[in-house]
Amino acid sequence: KTWGDKTDTSWYDEDETVFHITTAGQLAGIAKLVNEGTVTFEGKTVYLDNDLDLAGIEWISIGTGRGGLNDDKPYCFCGTFDGQGHVISNLYSRDSLLVANDDNERNLYRTLLFGNVNGGEIRNLGVLDADVSIDSNDVSAAGEAILVDFLVNGKITNCWTTGRIASGSYLEKNIGGIVGVTLRKCTISGCYSTATLTGNFANSGGYYNPNLYLPPETIGGIVGTRFDGNLTVTDCWFGGKIVVNSILAAVGGIVGYTDDQLGSGTVNNCMVTTTDMGVDNDGNTCWVAYALGGTVENCYWPNDTKYGPSPLAYVGGQSNEEQGTAVTDFTSADVLTGLRTNAGEGVEWVAGIGHPTFVWDDNNIPADYTAVDAAIASTATLDSSLYTNYSAVEDSINSVDRAKSKAQQTEVDAMAKAIEDAIAALQYKDADYTKVDAAIAKANALNKDNYKDFTGVEAAVNAVVRDKNI
């Protein structure tokens, strides 16, 4: 019924420090080992050697709510997980904590791929088509995101997510496209999300006190909120959608909420490429981050007055220029140059589909259309009027989709082949035998008996070949 029923831990040896996994059962085995509280993977590295499909079966997070928020390592993943550029698809979760303080509940407040990462790093990993919905009566506390729910003293590098995540209405959540909540010192670099994030907080549990300093719910395209310590988000972009059904929520395209209490938040060299971001009744949405303090620099967001000219409506003392620049065209050379100039170590920005992205991001870098263009160019010497089926060539050219990515290169190559095949299958029209038929009619009108030798005419008529093409 869940991946907890399909775990494989046979590959784990406590004396080893490097592991390579290849199956979803082995990935679920990491969750089993960590969630039992006996293995943390501290000082160890797990490599994912191929793509995995979780097949829409209920996932059990790696790390639980029992995990410590400081130096308590049990029940947390504390090692390094390196996806090596591979993708985990169809992550699914409907598991929620419906009974407060019930240790029998499956995963104690955590629902996503990694529930609790403490002192560890997740890198070079994609999560495709996640489907996460938190029960409206869920009584668990903050921290829900597609990749990591709780990140403590951790790092996320070169990761991406797509899909959807929706919070419940009973108790506040902090939801993010990559990370839900960060504590202590955390760094997120070279990441992006195109997920749809939906906040549904309605205070149906009656727990929210409007006199509290913190907002009840936060929604961030990359990070939901920073609870304490220093958070640095650099070289990230969000191109998804944020839906706000919450009665009150702090929303930001990169970070949902940060302040200057118990640490600070820094957002640098990031991009929000979507305008599809909702607001609560109080209008608590900012382009980049809802930040009561903190630093936002060298960022880009849509040139749209939807949330006012500033991405940080509540940060005093910073001009828009210091924060970043609103742009109309993300494909302009200025945007790419600005990102490259301010990029962090190890980050390489390149031109992408609709906006810049990372050099490793095959999902958002244009495919190579060289073969398509060559196939189309080869039709320039063809006279369409000579063929019975030239419309097939025209149809194959008109079917070319110029919006494909490197990840879809095989589809682009198939477009080129379709044009080439249509050219190879061209059939000439039949030749025009009108003059031949007229000459034969003229010959047939003659009386051959009037001539000494009519055989030349007969031979010429008999020599007519009727299968010639145009």
Side-chain angles (χ1 to χ4, degrees):
K1 295 181 179 180
T2 76
W3 277 108
D5 303 318
K6 301 173 180 291
T7 60
D8 174 8
T9 60
S10 62
W11 52 274
Y12 180 75
D13 183 341
E14 64 179 4
D15 295 326
E16 299 294 329
T17 58
V18 175
F19 305 95
H20 291 263
I21 64 171
T22 59
T23 71
Q26 291 172 333
L27 182 70
I30 299 177
K32 178 177 175 61
L33 293 166
V34 170
N35 297 349
E36 287 176 345
T38 57
V39 177
T40 66
F41 287 89
E42 186 171 16
K44 302 178 185 294
T45 300
V46 179
Y47 291 97
L48 178 61
D49 285 352
N50 50 259
D51 296 345
L52 300 179
D53 187 349
L54 299 183
I57 299 171
E58 182 74 36
W59 178 248
I60 304 299
S61 300
I62 301 171
T64 80
R66 291 192 183 99
L69 302 183
N70 295 304
D71 295 327
D72 301 328
K73 298 302 178 72
Y75 307 104
C76 302
F77 181 82
C78 307
T80 297
F81 187 93
D82 191 336
Q84 300 191 96
H86 291 298
V87 178
I88 296 174
S89 59
N90 298 311
L91 171 69
Y92 177 90
S93 178
R94 292 293 186 274
D95 192 18
S96 296
L97 185 71
L98 302 181
V99 181
N101 301 317
D102 184 354
D103 283 357
N104 291 321
E105 288 295 328
R106 241 186 240 128
N107 207 31
L108 291 168
Y109 328 149
R110 304 292 175 252
T111 58
L112 276 302
L113 189 62
F114 287 86
N116 203 323
V117 175
N118 190 332
E121 178 180 6
I122 314 300
R123 64 193 185 204
N124 307 321
L125 180 65
V127 180
L128 177 68
D129 289 338
D131 184 3
V132 180
S133 183
I134 300 164
D135 192 283
S136 60
N137 295 314
D138 183 284
V139 299
S140 64
E144 307 287 349
I146 291 176
L147 187 63
V148 179
D149 289 337
F150 254 64
L151 182 66
V152 184
N153 289 318
K155 294 177 64 177
I156 311 292
T157 309
N158 297 350
C159 292
W160 58 269
T161 65
T162 74
R164 62 211 62 83
I165 177 172
S167 72
S169 62
Y170 189 82
L171 199 64
E172 72 272 10
K173 293 290 184 291
N174 304 89
I175 60 176
I178 300 290
V179 177
V181 168
T182 69
L183 299 98
R184 311 305 178 258
K185 183 179 180 181
C186 295
T187 301
I188 299 167
S189 174
C191 296
Y192 75 85
S193 178
T194 61
T196 295
L197 316 175
T198 302
N200 291 316
F201 174 66
N203 199 29
S204 59
Y207 286 102
Y208 175 63
N209 180 351
N211 296 319
L212 293 176
Y213 179 67
L214 294 174
E217 180 145 88
T218 67
I219 309 170
I222 301 298
V223 178
T225 192
R226 178 200 64 85
F227 266 7
D228 64 31
N230 295 331
L231 166 65
T232 299
V233 181
T234 181
D235 296 292
C236 292
W237 63 265
F238 176 66
K241 178 179 181 179
I242 295 178
V243 179
V244 184
N245 299 325
S246 310
I247 58 172
L248 188 63
V251 178
I254 300 297
V255 177
Y257 180 86
T258 184
D259 54 37
D260 57 3
Q261 306 294 311
L262 303 175
S264 65
T266 298
V267 181
N268 182 51
N269 216 45
C270 292
M271 214 173 25
V272 178
T273 64
T274 180
T275 60
D276 203 353
M277 291 165 49
V279 297
D280 63 12
N281 292 331
D282 290 343
N284 296 311
T285 295
C286 300
W287 281 117
V288 177
Y290 188 109
L292 299 176
T295 302
V296 172
E297 295 178 321
N298 308 319
C299 292
Y300 297 89
W301 61 92
N303 188 13
D304 187 308
T305 59
K306 191 173 184 179
Y307 312 121
S310 171
L312 294 171
Y314 303 99
V315 175
Q318 291 188 348
S319 69
N320 291 338
E321 289 73 21
E322 289 172 327
Q323 294 170 4
T325 304
V327 298
T328 301
D329 182 8
F330 283 94
T331 63
S332 71
D334 291 344
V335 174
L336 180 57
T337 298
L339 291 168
R340 284 176 167 174
T341 300
N342 297 288
E345 183 178 357
V347 176
E348 183 178 352
W349 289 91
V350 297
I353 300 174
H355 55 78
T357 190
F358 312 111
V359 68
W360 50 262
D361 178 23
D362 287 355
N363 293 319
N364 293 287
I365 295 175
D368 183 356
Y369 283 81
T370 302
V372 170
D373 294 334
I376 294 174
S378 70
T379 66
T381 60
L382 299 177
D383 182 350
S384 61
S385 66
L386 301 180
Y387 304 97
T388 61
N389 59 338
Y390 194 80
S391 61
V393 175
E394 294 174 326
D395 290 344
S396 63
I397 293 174
N398 292 335
S399 296
V400 171
D401 183 350
R402 294 279 177 176
K404 297 296 183 180
S405 69
K406 286 182 68 175
Q408 299 166 304
Q409 186 64 49
T410 55
E411 296 178 37
V412 176
D413 294 341
M415 295 176 201
K417 189 174 187 306
I419 299 172
E420 293 165 355
D421 290 347
I423 294 172
L426 283 174
Q427 295 180 352
Y428 281 115
K429 294 178 180 178
D430 292 337
D432 184 356
Y433 281 81
T434 302
K435 292 183 178 181
V436 172
D437 293 335
I440 292 174
K442 187 181 292 186
N444 290 338
L446 299 175
N447 185 350
K448 65 179 181 179
D449 293 335
N450 293 337
Y451 302 92
K452 292 181 179 181
D453 185 359
F454 202 75
T455 58
V457 175
E458 292 175 327
V461 171
N462 292 332
V464 171
V465 179
R466 289 283 178 176
D467 63 355
K468 296 300 183 182
N469 61 45
I470 195 168

